[in-house]
Amino acid sequence: MKILVCISHVPDTTSKINFVDNDTKFDTNGVQFVINPNDEFGLTRAMWFKEKQGASVDIVTVGGKDTEPTIRKCLAIGADTAYRVDTQPLDGFQVAKELAKVAKDGEYDLVIAGRESLDYNGGMVPGMLAKLIGANFINTCVSLDIEGETATAVREMDGGKETIKTSLPLVIGGQKGLVEESDLKIPNMRGIMMARKKPLNIIEPLSSETHTEAKSFRKPEPKGEVTLIDADNLDKLIDLLHNEAKAI
Amino acid sequence: MSILVYTESENGKLKKAAYEVASYAKGIADLMGTSVTAVTVNAENVEELSQYGVDKVLKVSSDKLSKFNADAYAEVITQAAKKEDSKVIVISQSANAKYMAPLLAVNLEAGYVSNAVKLPILDEGFNVERTAFTNKAFSMTSISTDIKVLGLSNNSYGLKENESSLTQEEFSPELTDENFGITVESVDKNKDKVSIADAEVVISAGRGMKGPENWGMIEELAGVLNAATACSKPVSDMGWRPHGEHVGQTGKPVATNLYIAIGISGAIQHLAGISASKNKVVINTDPEAPFFKAADYGIVGDAFEVVPQLIEKLKEFKANNS
Ligand SMILES: Cc1cc2nc3c(=O)[nH]c(=O)nc-3n(C[C@H](O)[C@H](O)[C@H](O)COP(=O)(O)OP(=O)(O)OC[C@H]3O[C@@H](n4cnc5c(N)ncnc54)[C@H](O)[C@@H]3O)c2cc1C
Ligand SMILES: Nc1ncnc2c1ncn2[C@@H]1O[C@H](COP(=O)(O)O)[C@@H](O)[C@H]1O
């Protein structure tokens, strides 16, 4: 089985979010970038398929040279080969088209992406990619097993879960549950050394055709001070929630 | 050229989110000087959509669609959009809608904006504001394609009443086996509980509750307010509560009208998932807990004393106000 894991390189959640150039660009100054958490769960599940079922695991990122530390980390965790499509990600459709080309050319059986990325968190790429390559698609996937050509998965939905059967080729939008935090691997020295020798292939982009464009950003208005209510005066809270907030 | 809105139902009944997306679609239709067409799948009470400005309903009834299937549903809406020659398609941001939307966008070669929070601005092109960076910012996004798909973030527009005279039409899209590449084998849904996504009020509790045996009062408070229960991540990691209740950056997003956080410190990863909620209340013994900076109303106090009193007072309030 050939697996491709789509990795997006995102600001760590504890990062301060600021914008520059008249609020048109994200300020990357001092921002720590990480593997998108949903993708790391997926990559770790892919490593399980590699160890237990002899799958090969490649990773792909659409992004500039600045994403290479993230890519090296994926190789150190155990991915075999990395691809970087050398262009700035601009919108979900553009990224999905680039990934679709890599997925098609490599004839992958399974493509693992994340439910959403933490930067634009659009939740668009995996589904678009699946449709573009004509593969089956499961979103918010919290469990995945594959036997031959058949996949059994669990999808989380509002208020519950469902068990799904489908066939390869398959794209998933994965999240925590595919593996748990305790399963995540911190690359060891050997992994890091080996990662240096593994191939990181640079691919020329297809086009920069986009459907959407982030024109400007703004931060939410600063929130007013919290209204503190005495623990002995719960009637006051109920009154505020009823008359001011109109929430009960 | 009407605005098409997909109004979701469950067990034959339209969901509250359906009325919100209908209201939003009507807002867009007014801006563009056109009408609203809704598409429903196996829904019965469709005439209620006339309260929210819908002019026409395309009713799809099919046993094959009794369980949600993203690809097949995307195909239904694609065919409805073609039939109505719709340039703007509105959906909610339920888990199912988010699953389906990218497939729909590819089918229609449409630009898709998820987590939209406001009506579009049509002065120069088509611009709509959405959330970005896990709710820490908003982004004004322009869509350049002829057809546009907008996913409205839950509870960001609200219900707007708009009486209309509704016409109903049966609609039978053509589906092939290819649309059913996925088979749902079983569904495990908690039937007698409100789901976090559908709830108006969410009662969430954290490690401050000390142990799973203390959740009785959380459940009771939720019962009084007809609320869903949720929890912080460590609580589900320790197995005190089911994983499906975990909210935050790595858990479920919460965009509800009222979020009550009990014994939750307010770590950034927790707040990232709940900041779209309208009104936030925190109950915590520690006045320095970061949650007080994010909350609208706060009580510095011991949950074990405050919550039982709050339950009693709310019961009284409910008895007097119903
Ligand atoms: C990558 C990453 C992702 C994460 N994702 C999430 C996520 O999605 N969701 C999430 O919730 N967390 C997430 N976390 C964890 C997060 O950082 C916090 O550790 C977590 O939210 C803390 O949970 P808590 O508030 O229940 O517990 P604590 O931080 O232990 O807080 C307990 C609070 O209860 C109060 N308390 C104690 N006793 C009482 C009492 N008797 N009455 C009232 N209050 C009391 C305390 O003062 C304290 O403020 C993530 C962390 C990382 C690193
Ligand atoms: N630039 C990118 N390169 C590779 N994969 C990406 C990129 N952007 C998004 N993805 C994948 O698509 C998923 C969902 O991203 P999004 O649609 O941006 O929320 C991510 O979790 C990744 O798996």
Side-chain angles (χ1 to χ4, degrees):
Chain A
M1 178 168 55
K2 285 190 75 180
I3 304 177
L4 180 67
V5 185
C6 304
I7 301 288
S8 71
H9 161 90
V10 296
D12 181 66
T13 31
T14 52
S15 310
K16 287 264 173 294
I17 302 293
N18 285 305
F19 302 99
V20 290
D21 289 357
N22 239 336
D23 287 336
T24 58
K25 281 207 175 63
F26 175 57
D27 183 2
T28 54
N29 228 321
V31 170
Q32 169 86 27
F33 280 83
V34 296
I35 305 176
N36 184 40
N38 288 322
D39 306 351
E40 193 171 352
F41 292 119
L43 176 63
T44 309
R45 185 64 190 163
M47 297 321 299
W48 186 93
F49 286 121
K50 177 173 164 165
E51 279 155 30
K52 298 284 197 295
Q53 300 188 347
S56 69
V57 177
D58 295 347
I59 66 128
V60 58
T61 293
V62 178
K65 201 168 167 46
D66 55 307
T67 63
E68 289 191 359
T70 298
I71 295 175
R72 287 284 171 208
K73 185 173 173 203
C74 296
L75 291 171
I77 288 170
D80 301 311
T81 301
Y83 296 93
R84 177 169 72 81
V85 181
D86 188 23
T87 185
Q88 288 304 320
L90 299 171
D91 90 326
F93 176 71
Q94 169 230 9
V95 170
K97 267 187 77 172
E98 298 295 350
L99 295 175
K101 168 125 198 335
V102 176
K104 266 257 178 264
D105 289 353
E107 298 181 337
Y108 291 95
D109 306 294
L110 172 65
V111 180
I112 299 180
R115 166 189 83 184
E116 65 181 9
S117 60
L118 291 188
D119 44 7
Y120 296 99
N121 52 298
M124 301 183 186
V125 170
M128 289 183 173
L129 166 62
K131 197 79 201 176
L132 289 169
I133 63 175
N136 288 316
F137 174 51
I138 299 171
N139 204 22
T140 52
C141 182
V142 291
S143 155
L144 178 66
D145 287 292
I146 291 176
E147 223 37 82
E149 290 291 301
T150 307
T152 309
V154 178
R155 173 176 86 97
E156 199 168 84
M157 53 185 185
D158 295 337
K161 286 178 183 172
E162 62 186 19
T163 305
I164 289 173
K165 266 218 168 18
T166 187
S167 57
L168 303 180
L170 172 69
V171 177
I172 67 159
Q175 63 184 57
K176 183 168 131 73
L178 281 176
V179 300
E180 291 305 321
E181 253 112 18
S182 51
D183 301 317
L184 297 179
K185 297 192 172 77
I186 298 164
N188 56 21
M189 214 42 215
R190 188 161 160 271
I192 295 168
M193 296 301 286
M194 286 188 26
R196 291 196 190 145
K197 296 199 202 93
K198 289 180 179 172
L200 193 175
N201 303 305
I202 312 292
I203 299 178
E204 282 305 312
L206 284 169
S207 73
S208 52
E209 189 201 341
T210 60
H211 284 168
T212 61
E213 183 191 352
K215 292 260 187 205
S216 64
F217 297 93
R218 74 175 172 93
K219 292 209 271 184
E221 277 104 52
K223 219 193 59 57
E225 280 279 296
V226 56
T227 306
L228 285 180
I229 295 138
D230 201 274
D232 298 326
N233 194 2
L234 295 176
D235 289 325
K236 178 85 197 274
L237 176 69
I238 292 173
D239 177 57
L240 287 168
L241 290 179
H242 181 60
N243 291 313
E244 186 179 82
K246 310 225 180 300
I248 59 171
Chain B
M1 224 236 56
S2 61
I3 309 294
L4 188 73
V5 56
Y6 167 48
T7 44
E8 283 163 276
S9 56
E10 196 167 314
N11 304 323
K13 271 197 60 128
L14 289 169
K15 304 214 304 184
K16 192 197 132 215
Y19 302 120
E20 188 180 21
V21 285
S23 305
Y24 182 72
K26 171 67 177 163
I28 301 174
D30 286 346
L31 288 176
M32 299 179 72
T34 180
S35 58
V36 179
T37 301
V39 53
T40 61
V41 179
N42 296 333
E44 281 146 24
N45 56 331
V46 300
E47 55 295 332
E48 285 173 31
L49 288 167
S50 67
Q51 301 287 313
Y52 301 94
V54 173
D55 302 290
K56 176 168 156 190
V57 184
L58 296 178
K59 288 180 69 173
V60 179
S61 314
S62 157
D63 287 343
K64 279 165 102 181
L65 299 172
S66 61
K67 286 195 193 114
F68 178 78
N69 180 303
D71 197 59
Y73 275 54
E75 187 56 35
V76 167
I77 298 169
T78 301
Q79 291 181 25
K82 290 194 172 145
K83 172 176 152 55
E84 295 292 299
D85 192 25
S86 299
K87 302 296 180 208
V88 179
I89 293 103
V90 175
I91 57 164
S92 82
Q93 294 284 264
S94 68
N96 287 352
K98 280 188 166 172
Y99 183 5
M100 175 195 71
L103 308 175
L104 175 65
V106 172
N107 282 349
L108 291 169
E109 295 177 39
Y112 168 42
V113 166
S114 56
N115 301 313
V117 291
K118 287 205 178 130
L119 284 176
I121 297 170
L122 306 173
D123 303 346
E124 288 169 53
F126 193 105
N127 297 285
V128 62
E129 193 162 67
R130 58 174 305 234
T131 62
F133 296 96
T134 45
N135 288 321
K136 284 189 263 181
F138 296 99
S139 150
M140 186 60 84
T141 303
S142 72
I143 312 180
S144 55
T145 46
D146 183 34
I147 303 178
K148 290 129 186 126
V149 177
L150 300 181
L152 178 70
S153 186
N154 285 3
N155 285 321
S156 59
Y157 190 73
L159 302 183
K160 305 247 183 330
E161 295 213 6
N162 249 313
E163 200 86 34
S164 59
S165 57
L166 184 79
T167 61
Q168 300 190 23
E169 193 177 311
E170 301 293 330
F171 178 54
S172 311
E174 277 169 41
L175 299 170
T176 65
D177 285 350
E178 271 184 37
N179 299 121
F180 294 90
I182 278 183
T183 316
V184 176
E185 302 258 288
S186 63
V187 179
D188 176 11
K189 234 180 157 173
N190 203 332
K191 287 224 167 58
D192 18 272
K193 282 194 68 179
V194 195
S195 82
I196 293 171
D198 295 331
E200 281 285 292
V201 181
V202 171
I203 310 291
S204 188
R207 201 144 57 180
M209 294 308 296
K210 313 279 191 283
E213 66 281 6
N214 297 324
W215 247 263
M217 57 174 141
I218 302 299
E219 299 268 5
E220 195 180 348
L221 179 56
V224 178
L225 291 172
N226 191 24
T229 52
C231 68
S232 68
K233 180 168 168 296
V235 163
S236 67
D237 286 347
M238 290 182 294
W240 294 1
R241 298 296 292 176
H243 267 299
E245 283 200 2
H246 150 211
V247 301
Q249 175 208 309
T250 48
K252 286 208 166 66
V254 184
T256 185
N257 199 15
L258 177 61
Y259 185 79
I260 303 185
I262 302 166
I264 297 178
S265 58
I268 191 159
Q269 298 90 353
H270 186 85
L271 297 177
I274 61 122
S275 57
S277 294
K278 285 246 164 64
N279 297 288
K280 295 180 257 316
V281 177
V282 53
I283 301 172
N284 196 307
T285 40
D286 176 9
E288 302 293 316
F291 215 120
F292 284 99
K293 291 216 166 57
D296 303 286
Y297 305 102
I299 291 182
V300 180
D302 185 340
F304 293 88
E305 287 164 20
V306 175
V307 175
Q309 284 185 45
L310 187 59
I311 293 171
E312 289 316 310
K313 301 245 178 208
L314 279 167
K315 279 185 183 161
E316 260 171 57
F317 169 82
K318 288 273 164 185
N320 296 334
N321 281 273
S322 57

